[in-house]
Amino acid sequence: MDQPQTDTGRAEEAQGDARDKTPRTERGRRTLRKLLDAAAVEFGERGFHEASISAITRRAGTALGSFYTYFDSKEEIFQALVRYMSEQLRDHVTPLVQAAPDEISAERIGLESYLGFVREHKEIYRIIDEAEFVDYASYRSHYETTVARVRQRLENGAARGEIRGDVSEIHAWAIGGMNVFLGMRYGLWDTESDISEIAAIANDLLANGLKKRD
Amino acid sequence: MDQPQTDTGRAEEAQGDARDKTPRTERGRRTLRKLLDAAAVEFGERGFHEASISAITRRAGTALGSFYTYFDSKEEIFQALVRYMSEQLRDHVTPLVQAAPDEISAERIGLESYLGFVREHKEIYRIIDEAEFVDYASYRSHYETTVARVRQRLENGAARGEIRGDVSEIHAWAIGGMNVFLGMRYGLWDTESDISEIAAIANDLLANGLKKRD
Amino acid sequence: MDQPQTDTGRAEEAQGDARDKTPRTERGRRTLRKLLDAAAVEFGERGFHEASISAITRRAGTALGSFYTYFDSKEEIFQALVRYMSEQLRDHVTPLVQAAPDEISAERIGLESYLGFVREHKEIYRIIDEAEFVDYASYRSHYETTVARVRQRLENGAARGEIRGDVSEIHAWAIGGMNVFLGMRYGLWDTESDISEIAAIANDLLANGLKKRD
Amino acid sequence: MDQPQTDTGRAEEAQGDARDKTPRTERGRRTLRKLLDAAAVEFGERGFHEASISAITRRAGTALGSFYTYFDSKEEIFQALVRYMSEQLRDHVTPLVQAAPDEISAERIGLESYLGFVREHKEIYRIIDEAEFVDYASYRSHYETTVARVRQRLENGAARGEIRGDVSEIHAWAIGGMNVFLGMRYGLWDTESDISEIAAIANDLLANGLKKRD
DNA sequence: AATGAATGAGGGTTCATTCAT
DNA sequence: TATGAATGAACCCTCATTCAT
């Protein structure tokens, strides 16, 4: 119980059959893409355990066996998907955040674009979250990477004198959690409220919390 | 992060087979208790889907069939457990929080006792979290109740002039998320750091964020 | 390639799920017996790899799942069967052999009863032989035990002065092989020839080969 | 244990798809050879049922599809291999046996060279033996041919007055079985003992058993 | 001839749930 | 109430074989 589910991290380890599953032909690449797309929908709709590989291939329009040309197991495609989606999420948010004039604004923009992304891609939120119980390593890695970015921004802001100087990893995790929970509440559950307003209010809390001391 | 739901009747209660499963004899009550204890360990260690009824009864030292004397399904015992643990968490945190001199302190104490509780009872954290994928109603209810308590404290604080007056549900969710994430990071993952210090730092962020405006 | 298929010996090792599969009720004992009988027929007719567990349970008149109440895998029931049949074979031959007046006669009677047994129970011959490719440990153990008995008889005969004194393990294996091959040729393939005559001829060869030297 | 079958046409030859799979080019011949070599290793190491076509082609360094340019099925290549190996065994033993001064010596030399061959080529022993459960016709043919050679030598010896005159097929099978078992025991399992000595001891048993009667 | 992706029947195995005692 | 055997739907995965290039 020290680190729950550490055993699900086994997927990274040496695989008995380490044949290269990268497609070599154009047709192969198309099939792989179809499988990943279908899996995203299936996992998003039914969750990892309710999802079946045959449903994935049915959606993808391929034979059942073709799945195993590209993946060794349901876990493996799930893992691939988690990592891919983690990247998609960051690719959506990063450029917007980088255009921000200062780090506090960056946090506001980050939260706002995150909320929008969750609303548009509920299946991505769900898949990443379910990784906690399927592929713990990817789950943890996703949040550690996310929080590391927050922390970097905080340190930049401190260095530039925009915010207080004593920011730490604890602040970064606090902010990360805030964002994720607001994503759940106002991205998944309540899809009516005004996203900008929510981001503005939360950011105001943050701005005061991080303001330079006198 | 305290005082989870009271057992206000919720929508999904209706059971197809409504026979009363409350034990009538002392022996029955003992069996039920053994099953719940065993299930907590089994679900905590292996997760809902890896856990099996037969493993639970094996741990409990009862026959497989006895399980169905008290529960209709694996989902049902899991649900019972989630609610029970939600209460346990509340029972641990509530009295400490209520003794706080002001609401900001209450938040600090709440976070600190939550972090401690997670460290002591990782299986409870895990079971409640996994409810997101097994018993969504209980999961949502747990966090809505938790956040409602936070919000109540914020409003009390505002009414008493301890903090700014424009606090809203958004603030409450932001704070709830902060607590949960810090629980994961410093309760589950890193079990070495000083809990008081973490709670103090996070609370300082909050105190500044919620300070009365001039 | 030193000892082919040593890995099939793994069945003896600690099993992850070491629950006791011995039936506790009379009904359970009946089911187990039905499964073993059905498996003997199925393996004997179709061989290990062609045999299917569902065919075994169909023959036994039980549900598919009941198979797994008593065995963990197809290999396991096969192993149980090999050992059981190895015993049956010995139980058939041993009493006859023990009644022989001298060791040379014992060998003749042993061969003759072996040939008869193979004719009556071709499936037993087949299952034991196929163990070479399914459960090597049992296969080897079967023949080592068989040959050990031959050797014991040879040594008894030598001690009593019935045969030459320099008999060794090599003689025992030679005789064992002789018997097995005659079993295949005149037990399995040609089921018309006179068994006593065959045993007499082979025994005469042996008697001369083992005669005391002058 | 020598001179297995010449390729006299046997009953099960008929192939549904009688297209000629003999390679026409030099490149084709090389591929065919690589496949056979790879199959010998794969079948020898893993056995027929554990072996997979894709593992064979992987070992051979060819594409999976290329297999079917030369063979119609897994059974077919196995059959080809059994016959080829049966010939290899014969080619190893025959010249040595033919140089023997008399038939009893021939048997000794045959056994000794057989034991040596098994030690060197365990995979060949295994593949021929497994044919009992994969390609029964080849298996039976192998041993019938082998025993026929033994019988021929016995009759030659009897005609020349080297051994007793009443030798029969039964004697030939007895001797064949003796050789095969000694091959298993001292060729496969125990690879330390002195082969010449074993052959000498077994041959002495035989020589006495077959000695002319007074 | 060679390549490697595609196919899908087939079978082993799990385990929540029911049932007879 | 307790027991433990019985049930069978569900699903993952393998891999021999075919096919398109």
Side-chain angles (χ1 to χ4, degrees), chain A residues 50-138:
Chain A
E50 292 287 311
S52 77
I53 292 180
S54 70
I56 291 173
T57 54
R58 210 176 308 124
R59 277 186 208 268
T62 72
L64 173 58
S66 297
F67 177 90
Y68 293 92
T69 307
Y70 300 102
F71 302 98
D72 277 339
S73 65
K74 197 161 88 159
E75 276 77 10
E76 198 184 282
I77 195 175
F78 186 84
Q79 180 180 83
L81 224 42
V82 170
R83 296 183 178 183
Y84 176 62
M85 290 181 157
S86 179
E87 276 166 33
Q88 285 217 276
L89 177 51
R90 254 190 298 284
D91 290 350
H92 173 81
V93 174
T94 302
L96 299 170
V97 160
Q98 281 172 341
D102 59 85
E103 299 301 347
I104 286 292
S105 307
E107 281 308 323
R108 185 181 43 71
I109 291 168
L111 174 55
E112 185 172 338
S113 60
Y114 174 65
L115 292 175
F117 192 82
V118 171
R119 282 196 178 169
E120 290 305 307
H121 301 285
K122 299 196 168 52
E123 82 283 5
I124 295 189
Y125 180 94
R126 175 167 193 172
I127 289 169
I128 291 176
D129 239 41
E130 194 167 13
E132 183 179 356
F133 301 96
V134 178
D135 177 22
Y136 204 76
S138 294

Side-chain angles (χ1 to χ4, degrees), chain C residues 174 177-186 189 198 201-202 205, chain D residues 1-2 107 142-156 163-164 166-180 206 210:
Chain C
M178 185 181 100
N179 290 346
V180 170
F181 249 53
L182 291 170
M184 180 170 78
R185 176 65 180 76
Y186 298 101
W189 295 351
I198 293 162
I201 291 172
L205 175 68
Chain D
M1 271 289 73
D2 43 84
E107 282 306 325
H142 169 73
Y143 282 119
E144 282 175 340
T145 308
T146 298
V147 170
R149 306 258 169 151
V150 174
R151 186 172 187 191
Q152 189 58 57
R153 287 201 292 276
L154 291 182
E155 283 174 358
N156 291 344
I163 59 171
R164 55 149 103 172
D166 64 346
V167 288
S168 69
E169 185 158 39
I170 293 165
H171 295 91
W173 282 96
I175 294 168
M178 183 181 101
N179 291 345
V180 170
L206 217 60
L210 296 170

Side-chain angles (χ1 to χ4, degrees), chain A residues 168-194:
Chain A
S168 68
E169 186 157 40
I170 294 167
H171 296 91
W173 282 95
I175 294 169
M178 184 182 100
N179 290 345
V180 169
F181 249 52
L182 291 170
M184 180 170 79
R185 175 65 180 76
Y186 298 101
L188 281 190
W189 295 351
D190 166 7
T191 51
E192 299 302 317
S193 316
D194 180 341

Side-chain angles (χ1 to χ4, degrees), chain C residues 163-176:
Chain C
I163 59 171
R164 54 149 103 175
D166 65 344
V167 288
S168 68
E169 185 156 41
I170 294 166
H171 296 92
W173 282 95
I175 293 168

